[in-house]
């Protein structure tokens, strides 16, 4: 046994030397054994990866975090494998530890705890509990609580007055009150089939008649001590066996040297009189017992959920997060069941455990990502998504104020608690998780903002599942993005002024033509062109240019909705008079050729424009509620950089295709009608300007659609799309207005010049409210 322990101390010293050399090699300060032994080299490489791709989302980071967490969680497995090997290869580990063996096992557990900086415990079926927690030793003697304090049995008198006031060290009675729970043996704590499948298996074994089959069946049954969890009855006071905490020296032995009670002043003096089993290392029963304890409390591991679950499962693994009894912090426990043979039966002896506080995982994340732009959140996958660890340094629990209070409950934090944190990065993690959860944790990158403000910083996140028996966590890695400056035409955009000039110039030129054209409406050259509908078209062109101003600014939900309504409504309002104009000319000309008298009044023609406008209003209204345009955030990876695009878009392409069909039909219909009336001359309805205007609208519309909507032709950003749209509006409106206005004005000027030269000339013309063509059949 001494040789075995010595070898482990030598291994521990070697590890410490390697740790020191590794620290010296990388010139970093000394950290805990866990981080130094397990994470130093991977962590150094991890930092290089993060710094090398600060501007882009490093997809390897999520996998690296998963690997590091896996290594962190595998450390207790190796430690308890070492422990299991030790206890199964030595003859000094009987059914229940004898006093002379306990010091040896304390030192063995101390070597593991000191080397790996982890809490390690061992709890047995007889109530014994021993281990090291946060640098202190802890011990609970194997005995049965629940003795009557009014008539204390002789063997329990040594415990009753042995509890310790944690502040002053004053001795107190160890009593339980009404409603407190304790363990009570049944039939002398004899063996019975362990709960769960073992109990069912034992029942099946008893049904077998063949002795060989029965023996083979019973060899698979595991037996546990027979006891029950009882409650202190009303008006009754019972005593309990206290669990102590001890100061330890550098060799793991309990000591009073430099050991103080909770007040930090009173030295520990733990020598009391009593027939204790444990006597401070000499392995003998003694009357003057040195305990060395600086703190005590009521505790029985056999009533804890992790121990009871292990009795049922009987397989090593992790517990679900729970409140530790030491500080009532939330943590998880890795457990290794221990078995022994008794009377030929497989008996459950106890459980070795190693604890991880959730703060340990947060500290690991903080050490790994401090000073980088990468932020990590680990939380439970099941509702309500309790936090496991954060790289921001914030806690994952709201700890109890009185850590020794029996009824104190620690409150676990959820992602919603991060939203109320004073740490701004906690809010970033909260919003990243909320967006991930909303979209079902997809494999792609998900964007989220630091706040609801559209101008706030944007981050992208990726999620990954970490899963082990009893554990299913979700790892979320968050990184900042670089916002695209070309998706919106804001004041800082280089073409902001250009678009303003184009929209203003287009409005002024069209509106100026409208004023000039309207003032000349009494001249016969203008009157013959059906000036009312032409004026309406030119006025619509001026307002269509104004819609370009709504393309300026950030792409908010309001801006997206406004852009949809202004452009498409003004487009139909502008096109409708021109379409009705060419349709009326085609109808009248067609009727004349058929020797029919057809009359279409101006009021009736105006009424024909209203259905077109009404249909457009209905379409816009339906899509405003069904599939409204909204601000959409797209993430693009360009050369290792993550670029965020804030654009306006619909949930589906339905709106684009509906408008393409509706507005396309209007334009194509106008082109066809203009073509059919091409041979009737300008005096009957100016067919050539109509053809030029309609074909110009069709051609420019096709070009804009190809450029802005067809990615196979050219890939451009939305800001450029808006600029192309403004230029297209400017060209279509100016060109179409000019083909109607300029020829008529030139004819007016020519006639005026001719009137000044020829005597008796006048510019009179007849005015009619109804256009009618009547052609008589040839005789």
């Amino acid at each position: 046994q001494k040789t075995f322990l010595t070898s482990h101390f030598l291994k521990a010293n070697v590890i410490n030397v390697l740790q020191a050399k590794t620290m010296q090699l990388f010139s970093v300060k000394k950290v805990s054994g866990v981080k130094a032994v397990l994470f130093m080299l991977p962590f150094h490489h991890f930092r290089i990866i993060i710094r090398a791709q600060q501007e882009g989302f490093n997809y390897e980071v999520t996998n690296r975090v998963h690997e590091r967490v896996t290594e962190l969680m595998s450390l207790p497995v190796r430690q308890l494998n070492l422990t299991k090997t030790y206890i199964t290869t030595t003859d000094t580990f009987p059914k229940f530890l004898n006093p002379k063996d306990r010091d040896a096992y304390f030192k063995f557990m101390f070597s593991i705890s000191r080397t790996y900086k982890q809490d390690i415990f061992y709890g047995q079926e007889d109530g014994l509990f021993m281990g090291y927690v946060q640098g202190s030793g802890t011990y609970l003697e194997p005995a049965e609580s629940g003795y009557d304090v009014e008539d204390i049995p002789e063997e329990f008198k040594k415990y009753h007055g042995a509890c310790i006031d944690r502040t002053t060290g004053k001795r107190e009675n160890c009593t339980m009150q009404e409603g407190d729970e304790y363990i009570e043996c049944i039939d002398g704590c004899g063996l019975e089939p362990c709960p769960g499948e073992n109990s069912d298996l034992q029942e099946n074994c008893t049904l077998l008649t063949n002795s060989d089959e029965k023996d083979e069946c019973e060899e698979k049954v595991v037996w546990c001590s027979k006891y029950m969890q009882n409650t202190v009855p009303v008006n009754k006071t019972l005593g309990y066996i206290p669990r102590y905490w001890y100061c330890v020296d550098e060799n793991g032995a309990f000591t009073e040297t430099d050991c103080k009670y909770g007040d930090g002043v009173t030295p520990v003096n733990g020598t009391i009189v009593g027939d204790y089993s444990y006597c401070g290392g000499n392995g003998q029963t003694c009357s003057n017992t040195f305990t060395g304890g600086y703190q005590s409390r009521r505790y029985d591991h056999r009533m804890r959920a992790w121990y009871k679950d292990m009795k049922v499962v009987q397989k090593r693994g992790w517990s679900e997060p729970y409140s530790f009894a030491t500080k009532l912090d939330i943590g998880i426990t890795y457990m290794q069941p221990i078995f022994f043979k008794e009377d030929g039966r497989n008996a459950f002896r106890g459980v070795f455990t190693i604890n991880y506080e959730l703060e340990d995982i947060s500290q690991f994340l903080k050490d790994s990502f401090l000073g980088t732009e990468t932020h990590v959140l680990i939380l439970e996958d099941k509702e309500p998504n309790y936090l496991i660890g954060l790289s921001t340094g914030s806690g994952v629990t709201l700890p109890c104020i009185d850590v020794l209070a029996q009824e104190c409950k620690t409150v676990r934090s959820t992602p919603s608690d991060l939203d109320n944190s004073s740490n701004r990065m906690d809010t970033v993690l909260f919003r990243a998780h909320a967006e991930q959860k909303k979209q079902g944790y997809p494999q792609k990158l998900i964007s989220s903002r630091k706040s609801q403000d559209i101008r706030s910083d944007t981050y992208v996140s990726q999620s990954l599942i970490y899963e082990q028996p009893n554990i299913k966590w979700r790892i979320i890695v968050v990184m900042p993005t670089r916002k695209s400056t070309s998706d919106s035409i804001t004041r800082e955009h280089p073409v902001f002024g250009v678009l303003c000039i184009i929209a203003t110039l287009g409005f002024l030129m069209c509106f100026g033509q409208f004023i000039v054209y309207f003032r000349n409406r009494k001249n016969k050259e203008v009157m013959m062109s059906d000036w009312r509908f032409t004026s309406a078209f030119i006025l619509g062109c001026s307002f269509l240019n104004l819609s370009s101003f709504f393309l300026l600014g950030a792409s908010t939900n309001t801006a997206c909705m406004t852009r949809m309504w202004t452009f498409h409504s003004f487009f139909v309002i502008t096109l409708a008079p021109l379409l009705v104009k060419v349709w009326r000319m085609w109808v009248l000309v067609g009727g004349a050729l058929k020797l029919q008298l057809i009359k279409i009044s101006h009021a009736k023609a105006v009424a024909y424009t209203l259905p077109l406008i009404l249909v457009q209003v209905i379409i816009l209204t339906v899509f405003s509620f069904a599939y409204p345009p909204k601000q959409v955030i797209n993430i693009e990876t360009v050369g290792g950089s993550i670029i965020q695009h804030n654009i306006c878009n619909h949930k589906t392409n339905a709106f684009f295709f509906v408008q393409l069909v509706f507005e396309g039909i209007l334009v194509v219909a106008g082109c066809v009608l203009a073509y059919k009336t091409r041979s009737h001359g300008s005096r009957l309805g100016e067919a050539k300007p109509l053809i030029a205007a309609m074909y110009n609208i069709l051609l420019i519309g096709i070009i804009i659609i190809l450029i802005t909507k067809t990615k196979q032709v050219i890939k451009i950003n939305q800001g450029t799309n808006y600029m192309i749209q403004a230029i297209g509006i400017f060209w279509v409106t100016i060109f179409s207005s000019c083909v109607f206005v300029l020829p008529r004005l030139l004819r007016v000027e020519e006639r005026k010049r001719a009137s000044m030269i020829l005597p008796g000339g006048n510019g009179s013309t007849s005015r009619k409210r109804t256009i009618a063509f009547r052609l008589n059949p040839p005789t």
Side-chain angles (χ1 to χ4, degrees):
Q1 178 182 351
K2 291 182 179 179
T3 303
F4 193 85
L5 288 172
T6 303
S7 66
H8 283 294
F9 280 119
L10 288 175
K11 291 179 182 179
N13 290 332
V14 170
I15 291 174
N16 286 334
V17 171
L18 289 175
Q19 172 184 329
K21 293 299 182 183
T22 305
M23 299 295 183
Q24 183 179 3
L25 177 62
F26 291 103
S27 299
V28 296
K29 64 181 181 179
K30 185 173 181 179
V31 293
S32 71
V34 174
K35 301 161 193 169
V37 176
L38 184 59
F39 300 115
M40 183 53 62
L41 293 177
F43 170 69
H44 181 75
H45 178 61
F46 200 20
R47 285 276 187 146
I48 294 175
I49 291 177
I50 295 173
R51 290 171 180 167
Q53 298 196 21
Q54 287 292 329
E55 294 184 355
F57 191 95
N58 183 0
Y59 290 88
E60 275 298 307
V61 170
T62 306
N63 294 329
R64 291 282 182 174
V65 172
H66 189 279
E67 292 173 4
R68 298 289 82 79
V69 172
T70 300
E71 292 179 3
L72 177 68
M73 303 296 283
S74 67
L75 182 60
V77 179
R78 296 197 291 271
Q79 296 175 24
L80 290 188
N81 282 342
L82 176 63
T83 303
K84 182 180 179 181
T85 301
Y86 176 60
I87 64 176
T88 55
T89 55
T90 177
D91 296 331
T92 61
F93 204 93
K95 173 184 176 182
F96 299 119
L97 287 176
N98 295 321
K100 61 184 178 65
D101 302 319
R102 290 174 189 147
D103 287 327
Y105 284 102
F106 264 122
K107 290 183 178 180
F108 171 72
M109 297 172 72
F110 175 75
S111 66
I112 294 178
S113 178
R114 184 181 67 173
T115 302
Y116 294 102
K117 304 299 182 185
Q118 291 298 129
D119 299 342
I120 182 170
F121 305 96
Y122 173 65
Q124 280 194 162
E125 281 283 80
D126 63 347
L128 177 140
F129 188 82
M130 58 189 298
Y132 284 88
V133 52
Q134 300 174 353
S136 297
T138 184
Y139 182 69
L140 172 63
E141 286 204 352
E144 186 177 351
S145 296
Y147 55 86
D148 190 349
V149 298
E150 296 180 359
D151 185 16
I152 302 176
E154 190 64 29
E155 65 271 22
F156 290 103
K157 288 182 179 180
K158 58 185 178 182
Y159 300 114
H160 184 57
C163 286
I164 303 172
D165 183 277
R166 60 171 175 162
T167 303
T168 63
K170 181 181 177 181
R171 301 297 163 170
E172 298 175 341
N173 291 332
C174 303
T175 56
M176 296 183 292
Q177 304 301 321
E178 176 185 331
D180 290 340
E181 295 180 321
Y182 63 97
I183 294 295
E184 181 178 357
C185 279
I186 300 177
D187 298 333
C189 285
L191 295 180
E192 65 176 355
C194 292
E197 295 181 359
N198 281 283
S199 180
D200 298 335
L201 181 61
Q202 172 61 20
E203 291 182 5
N204 295 333
C205 293
T206 58
L207 300 177
L208 297 175
T209 57
N210 186 289
S211 59
D212 293 337
E213 293 180 356
K214 186 173 183 179
D215 292 341
E216 184 179 354
C217 177
E218 290 185 346
E219 285 182 0
K220 300 177 182 178
V221 179
V222 180
W223 300 77
C224 295
S225 297
K226 190 175 183 180
Y227 52 77
M228 62 180 295
Q229 188 169 324
N230 215 337
T231 304
V232 177
V234 179
N235 300 324
K236 191 72 174 178
T237 302
L238 302 180
Y240 67 88
I241 314 301
R243 171 185 167 186
Y244 292 105
W245 277 257
Y246 306 90
C247 296
V248 295
D249 60 20
E250 59 182 7
N251 296 319
F254 296 168
T255 181
E256 290 183 344
T257 305
D258 297 327
C259 188
K260 302 291 192 299
Y261 290 112
D263 59 6
V265 177
T266 307
V268 172
N269 180 6
T271 302
I272 58 175
V273 177
D275 186 18
Y276 283 77
S277 297
Y278 182 68
C279 299
N282 59 13
Q284 299 177 359
T285 301
C286 53
S287 58
N288 294 326
T289 303
F290 165 69
T291 62
Y294 65 84
Q295 178 178 301
S296 69
R297 66 168 296 175
R298 181 171 60 86
Y299 176 86
D300 195 324
H301 56 280
R302 295 171 294 179
M303 294 190 298
R304 303 291 288 179
W306 59 266
Y307 189 88
K308 290 191 288 187
D309 291 342
M310 182 52 62
K311 287 184 65 174
V312 176
V313 177
Q314 297 181 6
K315 294 180 181 179
R316 66 182 184 180
W318 290 97
S319 70
E320 291 191 358
Y322 68 99
S323 177
F324 288 164
T326 307
K327 294 196 310 178
L328 296 183
D329 284 343
I330 297 296
I332 54 177
T333 297
Y334 187 81
M335 300 170 288
Q336 172 72 61
I338 304 298
F339 303 93
F340 72 103
K341 285 284 188 178
E342 182 177 358
D343 298 331
R345 294 174 172 178
N346 296 317
F348 177 79
R349 177 185 293 174
V351 181
F352 263 106
T353 67
I354 289 182
N355 287 348
Y356 270 161
E357 292 183 9
L358 298 188
E359 290 297 331
D360 294 338
I361 299 177
S362 290
Q363 188 62 43
F364 154 65
L365 295 176
K366 181 180 178 181
D367 292 342
S368 300
F369 298 100
L370 185 63
T372 72
E373 292 186 341
T374 302
H375 309 281
V376 181
L377 170 65
I378 302 178
L379 69 168
E380 292 184 0
D381 187 58
K382 65 180 181 180
E383 295 286 350
N385 305 120
Y386 286 123
L387 304 186
I388 299 297
L390 304 89
S391 62
T392 61
S394 299
V396 297
T397 60
L398 302 175
C400 181
I401 297 177
D402 186 359
V403 298
L404 292 180
Q406 299 291 335
E407 301 300 326
C408 186
K409 301 294 182 181
T410 301
V411 179
R412 298 187 63 184
S413 299
T414 61
S416 59
D417 295 321
L418 298 178
D419 193 30
N420 302 320
S421 172
S422 58
N423 189 332
R424 66 183 186 88
M425 294 314 305
D426 286 344
T427 304
V428 171
L429 291 176
F430 161 74
R431 294 188 175 276
H433 170 259
E435 196 63 33
Q436 283 277 351
K437 186 175 181 180
K438 178 181 178 181
Q439 300 192 31
Y441 303 105
Q443 294 298 318
K444 65 179 182 178
L445 294 178
I446 299 299
S447 62
S448 57
R449 286 198 181 91
K450 179 181 175 182
S451 67
Q452 294 182 350
D453 188 352
I454 190 174
R455 296 167 295 181
S456 63
D457 297 335
T458 304
Y459 294 78
V460 291
S461 61
Q462 188 182 34
S463 68
L464 191 66
I465 281 290
Y466 174 80
E467 197 166 6
Q468 285 194 19
N470 294 331
I471 288 180
K472 189 175 183 182
W473 297 344
R474 187 164 294 277
I475 301 172
I476 297 179
V477 178
V478 183
M479 287 185 178
T481 65
R482 181 167 61 87
K483 289 184 179 180
S484 173
T485 58
S486 56
D487 294 322
S488 300
I489 303 179
T490 58
R491 293 182 181 273
E492 296 78 17
H493 201 284
V495 299
F496 180 85
V498 178
L499 192 147
C500 289
I501 293 174
I502 290 175
T504 303
L505 189 61
F507 170 77
L508 293 178
M509 292 180 66
C510 290
F511 194 73
Q513 290 184 79
F514 165 74
I515 294 175
V516 174
Y517 195 80
F518 185 78
R519 287 180 177 177
N520 286 273
R521 66 186 182 280
K522 295 183 179 181
N523 293 304
K524 64 179 182 179
E525 293 82 1
V526 175
M527 186 178 298
M528 290 297 296
S529 67
D530 198 0
W531 65 270
R532 293 174 180 82
F533 287 91
T534 304
S535 297
F537 169 72
I538 300 172
L539 183 62
C541 288
S542 63
F543 285 105
L544 191 58
N545 277 281
L546 290 180
S547 69
S548 296
F549 283 106
F550 293 98
L551 302 177
L552 300 173
S555 297
T556 63
N557 289 338
T558 302
C560 295
M561 183 70 73
T562 305
R563 290 166 187 171
M564 180 186 74
W565 273 89
T566 53
F567 172 74
H568 292 285
S569 58
F570 284 157
F571 179 81
V572 174
I573 290 173
T574 301
L575 189 62
L578 188 62
L579 185 61
V580 171
K581 173 187 174 76
V582 67
W583 170 79
R584 183 167 69 165
M585 185 181 72
W586 175 74
V587 171
L588 295 178
V589 171
L593 293 177
K594 294 179 181 179
L595 305 178
Q596 297 177 355
L597 179 61
I598 300 176
K599 295 182 179 181
I600 301 178
S601 64
H602 296 312
K604 190 175 182 180
V606 170
Y608 284 145
T609 64
L610 298 180
L612 302 179
I613 299 174
L614 181 61
V615 171
Q616 183 70 301
V617 170
I618 293 174
I619 293 174
L620 294 176
T621 302
V622 169
F623 278 94
S624 295
F625 289 98
Y627 300 104
K630 291 184 177 181
Q631 181 200 54
V632 176
I633 299 178
N634 291 336
I635 304 299
E636 182 184 18
T637 304
V638 180
S641 297
I642 297 297
I643 300 177
Q644 171 205 333
H645 297 279
N646 295 338
I647 62 174
C648 289
N649 205 354
H650 291 266
K651 188 176 181 179
T652 67
N653 292 323
F655 178 77
F656 169 73
F657 288 111
V658 169
Q659 286 296 324
L660 182 65
V661 172
F662 175 64
E663 295 177 354
I665 289 175
L666 297 184
V667 175
V668 172
C671 292
V672 172
L673 293 175
Y675 179 79
K676 289 186 175 183
T677 59
R678 67 189 183 281
S679 61
H680 298 293
S682 60
R683 291 182 59 84
L684 294 178
E686 55 186 1
K688 291 181 180 179
L690 282 173
I691 292 176
M694 298 305 301
Y695 278 81
N696 176 60
I697 295 172
L698 177 62
L699 178 62
I700 299 302
I702 292 174
I703 293 175
I704 292 177
I705 290 175
L706 289 176
I707 294 177
T708 60
K709 297 297 183 181
T710 309
K711 295 182 179 180
Q712 287 76 8
V713 177
I714 184 172
K715 187 176 182 180
I716 56 178
N717 54 65
Q718 192 169 73
T720 306
N721 284 349
Y722 290 154
M723 192 65 194
I724 293 173
Q725 180 179 331
I727 294 173
I729 292 173
F730 175 83
W731 172 258
V732 166
T733 55
I734 297 301
F735 179 85
S736 299
S737 299
C738 288
V739 297
F740 286 107
V741 175
L742 294 183
R744 295 296 174 177
L745 294 182
L746 289 176
R747 290 176 186 175
V748 171
E749 288 298 319
E750 290 176 359
R751 182 181 56 78
K752 288 182 178 181
R753 290 195 188 117
S755 299
M756 295 176 63
I757 297 174
L758 298 176
N762 62 72
S764 64
T765 181
S766 61
R767 288 179 290 178
K768 298 181 179 180
R769 294 189 177 275
T770 303
I771 298 177
F773 296 101
R774 183 174 183 178
L775 298 179
N776 295 321
T779 58

